[in-house]
Amino acid sequence: MRIVVDLNRCVGYAQCVPLAPEVLQLQGEEALAYDPNPDDSQRQRVARAVASCPVQAIIAEMDPPPDRTTK
């Protein structure tokens, strides 16, 4: 799994953070930090976090192409 957060689009609502706290964290009041290659055990949590983003700033590739390095 691979995720990318468009930090220009993210406005810091942080609705995603409690849904995938091991992958997405707030740094300060509005800066989002994230693990771009979370473990597959986080798949369902990440999917919920992606769906919760009101500005659609999180993009997840649940099954990235095999030629793309994810770790």
Side-chain angles (χ1 to χ4, degrees):
M1 174 175 23
R2 181 174 181 278
I3 67 169
V4 176
V5 178
D6 183 341
L7 297 175
N8 291 319
R9 181 176 275 188
C10 177
V11 292
Y13 290 129
Q15 292 178 352
C16 59
V17 173
L19 298 173
E22 293 178 13
V23 179
L24 303 156
Q25 301 90 30
L26 273 184
Q27 302 290 316
E29 291 186 30
E30 293 183 1
L32 185 69
Y34 66 98
D35 177 359
N37 300 305
D39 188 84
D40 271 349
S41 66
Q42 298 295 316
R43 181 179 293 261
Q44 187 173 21
R45 290 174 186 243
V46 168
R48 287 181 181 151
V50 169
S52 77
C53 183
V55 296
Q56 299 176 335
I58 308 169
I59 299 166
E61 290 181 329
M62 294 301 183
D63 297 306
D67 63 332
R68 183 173 296 160
T69 303
T70 59
K71 290 193 178 190

